[in-house]
Amino acid sequence: MTTRSGFVALAGRPNVGKSTLVNAVVGEKVAIVSDRPQTTRRAIRGVHTGGNCQMVLVDLPGVQRPRDALTERMARRVQQELEGSDVALLILNGEQGVGPGDRFIAHALTGTSVPVTIAVNKVDRLTVAATVAVLAQAAELEVVGEVFPISARTGAGVQELVEHLAALMPQGPFMFGAGEISDQPLEVLLAELVREAVIRRTFQEVPHAVEVVVEEIEWVGGNPNDLARVRALIWVESESQKGILVGARGRMIKAIGVAARRELERELGCHVHLDLSVRVRRDWRADEGSLDRLGIT
């Protein structure tokens, strides 16, 4: 049987639903989700295997103007992943319509040799007339490619999009084995789940200033199905941010721990003892050494 396999790079402004779509196509949670920009900082690969085709979806950071070493690296990673992909999937937020940021990204995609497909997301929240209008806007973008109305949240239109992308994959052997759904190391995946719990409970600058490092995973009793002890550090950039995360009488860090532990247990399939600490690492987003340690390249 002839097999097809390739990379699909998801491009778009922050908060258009790239991570939600990757999770929907893969069928499991491989990328954290929130409504905050900069939630995705690394290129996260989710693997979808169906029939004779395997697609590796690369959930890229949202395209934005670089402001520091962190966002410079994110922008560079977007460009590198696009150049190494077989198809670019430009995702638009149907609720917001096509804006200058979308046109900027579409123009940038015309400078690559990668074929482009467009997905207009969140159409489940639109009227029929509004959907028709935004699809017409998408069709007028500078890139040439088919346009699909979808809802990553409900799954509407996703199967048709997947079938279209699969047909664009080149012939070649599968790159991942049966059952593999991501290339993320376990420590990174667990750290991201903790960061997701932080993001969902904090506001203003705090979510952007937070990073999480899982320092240790210990399987207690030798049986991975029994108990895992996970020790994680939450980085922030100031004492005031640390105070917000800890909260009065430790209430905030306890709430974060409860929510994060629930996600870790779902991921690991066992009971989890989660040890969280908050440390101040000033200006880590501008520190090349810190970014190297975090694996944000």
Side-chain angles (χ1 to χ4, degrees):
M1 180 178 66
T2 301
T3 58
R4 296 177 175 272
S5 65
F7 291 88
V8 179
L10 280 65
R13 291 183 291 110
N15 196 30
V16 295
K18 296 186 295 295
S19 298
T20 303
L21 179 58
V22 168
N23 292 338
V25 174
V26 173
E28 294 190 39
K29 186 172 184 176
V30 296
I32 66 173
V33 176
S34 89
D35 58 0
R36 311 290 175 80
Q38 286 193 35
T39 297
T40 301
R41 289 175 173 164
R42 301 164 176 83
I44 296 172
R45 294 173 178 84
V47 182
H48 169 79
T49 304
N52 69 334
C53 183
Q54 184 176 83
M55 293 190 299
V56 182
L57 293 93
V58 187
D59 181 15
L60 299 175
V63 177
Q64 56 191 306
R65 186 184 301 278
R67 299 187 307 276
D68 50 35
L70 171 62
T71 49
E72 285 177 3
R73 289 189 180 210
M74 289 163 59
R76 188 165 62 241
R77 173 55 63 184
V78 168
Q79 188 62 36
Q80 291 171 348
E81 293 293 342
L82 282 171
E83 292 172 355
S85 294
D86 300 288
V87 176
L89 178 61
L90 173 59
I91 304 180
L92 310 175
N93 184 337
E95 282 189 299
Q96 297 176 354
V98 175
D102 301 306
R103 296 186 183 94
F104 172 81
I105 298 168
H107 176 73
L109 290 174
T110 63
T112 71
S113 59
V114 181
V116 180
T117 295
I118 302 173
V120 178
N121 192 24
K122 307 185 183 183
V123 297
D124 56 304
R125 302 175 182 176
L126 303 179
T127 64
V128 173
T131 300
V132 171
V134 74
L135 290 176
Q137 293 176 11
E140 293 174 356
L141 285 170
E142 203 170 337
V143 292
V144 177
E146 292 198 41
V147 181
F148 290 81
I150 67 165
S151 169
R153 185 178 65 88
T154 67
V158 172
Q159 183 58 39
E160 291 83 354
L161 174 63
V162 168
E163 291 174 358
H164 171 76
L165 295 173
L168 298 177
M169 294 295 98
Q171 291 187 7
F174 287 179
M175 292 170 282
F176 290 83
E180 290 187 82
I181 60 171
S182 180
D183 65 346
Q184 291 184 91
L186 181 60
E187 290 82 0
V188 172
L189 176 57
L190 299 188
E192 287 287 272
L193 292 173
V194 174
R195 187 164 68 90
E196 181 182 51
V198 173
I199 291 172
R200 290 184 172 182
R201 285 160 181 80
T202 53
F203 304 95
Q204 297 176 340
E205 177 61 17
V206 174
H208 305 296
V210 166
E211 188 54 80
V212 179
V213 179
V214 168
E215 294 206 315
E216 183 180 29
I217 304 173
E218 178 187 2
W219 305 102
V220 179
N223 186 348
N225 295 321
D226 291 340
L227 174 68
R229 295 186 185 273
V230 178
R231 185 162 59 89
L233 292 179
I234 302 175
W235 288 6
V236 292
E237 291 188 321
S238 69
E239 291 291 343
S240 62
Q241 292 167 354
K242 178 177 179 179
I244 291 170
L245 279 188
V246 173
R249 298 183 181 179
R251 290 195 185 101
M252 177 61 80
I253 196 66
K254 181 178 180 181
I256 290 169
V258 169
R261 186 176 68 248
R262 189 180 304 123
E263 287 296 304
L264 266 58
E265 289 180 340
R266 177 194 58 78
E267 178 64 32
L268 296 176
C270 68
H271 293 296
V272 172
H273 174 81
L274 178 59
D275 178 11
L276 289 180
S277 300
V278 183
R279 291 188 184 175
V280 175
R281 187 176 288 265
R282 298 191 185 280
D283 299 323
W284 68 263
R285 285 179 288 179
D287 181 1
E288 302 286 357
S290 294
L291 295 174
D292 287 342
R293 178 184 173 189
L294 292 168
I296 301 176
T297 57

